[in-house]
Amino acid sequence: MAGHTDNSITIDAPLDLVWDITNDIEKWPGLFSEYASLEVLSREGDSTTFRLTMHPDESGKVWSWVSERTVDRPGRTVRARRVETGPFDHMNIRWEYEETPAGIRMRWVQDFAMKPDAPVDDAWMTDNINRNSRTQMALIRDRIEQVARDRRSAPVLPG
């Protein structure tokens, strides 16, 4: 068996703003509530390899892994995969951005499988990722929409 999640949210902000904020990975610790730090390990073209470290979980364990992320701005997609898979056999993530009348629909699709000796199974992790994705997406939406409101209300200075 394998896990699959598909979550989306609409953000009332311009595409460029949503794209720029969500793909500025060095700032993810301030965008996502779960990430304590991010260290860029290498960049090659549109691909970035980085180490992501979470805040300690309820038992005090700190989870960290290396991922590779490739952006496709013209295609409005991002593909990522865990390089250091930890308890996962594999973890692949696709981000999609779509303009709609209500704003930008941001979608995260994750396909994964847990290793046989992982502390949780695919079903548990599917529920966990779905719950957490909804929480993080709402937080990201709120933060980006605040930036968009601030920019709309900023005074225009004479040139």
Side-chain angles (χ1 to χ4, degrees), residues 23-125:
N23 288 293
D24 187 352
I25 65 170
E26 288 91 339
K27 293 184 181 169
W28 277 8
L31 184 62
F32 291 80
S33 63
E34 62 188 343
Y35 299 146
S37 66
L38 185 143
E39 175 190 6
V40 172
L41 303 174
S42 68
R43 290 187 194 278
E44 186 173 328
D46 291 329
S47 295
T48 304
T49 302
F50 57 97
R51 174 169 296 285
L52 199 52
T53 302
M54 297 182 76
H55 293 290
D57 65 17
E58 59 280 349
S59 68
K61 176 145 176 68
V62 174
W63 296 94
S64 181
W65 62 90
V66 173
S67 287
E68 180 184 70
R69 193 166 196 274
T70 303
V71 298
D72 175 7
R73 177 66 173 91
R76 299 180 181 169
T77 60
V78 178
R79 295 193 180 275
R81 67 180 183 88
R82 283 194 182 196
V83 177
E84 288 180 4
T85 58
F88 292 91
D89 178 65
H90 67 275
M91 166 61 88
N92 298 307
I93 306 169
R94 186 173 74 250
W95 292 37
E96 300 172 355
Y97 301 80
E98 177 187 2
E99 290 184 271
T100 74
I104 304 306
R105 180 175 177 255
M106 182 176 69
R107 179 179 179 210
W108 298 345
V109 178
Q110 299 181 60
D111 290 296
F112 60 91
M114 304 308 295
K115 291 178 180 173
D117 61 347
V120 298
D121 63 12
D122 292 339
W124 186 95
M125 188 55 74

Side-chain angles (χ1 to χ4, degrees), residues 109-148:
V109 178
Q110 299 181 60
D111 290 296
F112 60 91
M114 304 308 295
K115 291 178 180 173
D117 61 347
V120 298
D121 63 12
D122 292 339
W124 186 95
M125 188 55 74
T126 298
D127 289 342
N128 185 62
I129 289 173
N130 276 325
R131 186 173 44 258
N132 194 53
S133 291
R134 289 183 204 109
T135 298
Q136 295 302 315
M137 288 179 133
L139 180 64
I140 290 167
R141 177 201 59 212
D142 294 348
R143 289 179 172 168
I144 293 173
E145 287 180 354
Q146 183 62 54
V147 171

